[in-house]
Amino acid sequence: SVNFTRKSISGFTELTIRPLSDTITFVSLNTQQTRIYNVTVDDVQDVKFTHDDPFHQICGDPSKRKLDYFLTKYQGAILKNDYDYKNQGELKIDVPKEIQ
């Protein structure tokens, strides 16, 4: 749904994942600049997940809303989400043991 007053869009996404291995314990996805409220895997509700999006931290303080500060923080956020840097996405979903 689109909420013009709050300047937000909400909805859901359904993904079909075909693992390359028989043992999969988690799934990592890139989900920049989103808010994740809950995750369901194979009809298992409220699956454990972590969502760490460094873009949410950019310019949170109104006194630091300057272009050079933004650019430094933005470039740092990009590096934190780079597969070659250290992690594999902002969203990590733990696959429930009953469906592993």
Side-chain angles (χ1 to χ4, degrees):
S1 68
V2 178
N3 185 324
F4 291 104
T5 305
R6 294 183 61 207
K7 298 179 182 177
S8 67
I9 299 174
S10 63
F12 74 95
T13 301
E14 183 173 323
L15 301 175
T16 301
I17 298 174
R18 302 198 191 282
L20 300 175
S21 163
D22 290 339
T23 56
I24 182 170
T25 59
F26 68 92
V27 174
S28 291
L29 300 171
N30 286 101
T31 56
Q32 291 179 3
Q33 298 175 319
T34 61
R35 301 235 188 257
I36 309 293
Y37 296 104
N38 59 37
V39 174
T40 302
V41 177
D42 279 353
D43 298 324
V44 176
Q45 300 270 333
D46 298 325
V47 173
K48 182 181 173 191
F49 70 94
T50 55
H51 184 235
D52 180 26
D53 188 349
F55 286 96
H56 290 192
Q57 307 303 321
I58 295 176
C59 296
D61 180 357
S63 68
K64 295 184 178 180
R65 292 191 179 158
K66 297 180 179 144
L67 186 56
D68 58 338
Y69 179 81
F70 171 79
L71 183 59
T72 302
K73 291 294 187 176
Y74 184 76
Q75 289 172 333
I78 290 171
L79 280 177
K80 286 183 180 178
N81 293 326
D82 188 346
Y83 271 54
D84 295 330
Y85 179 66
K86 70 171 187 172
N87 71 23
Q88 300 174 353
E90 301 84 21
L91 178 65
K92 179 184 174 195
I93 303 166
D94 293 330
V95 176
K97 291 188 185 297
E98 60 265 24
I99 60 174
Q100 286 183 13

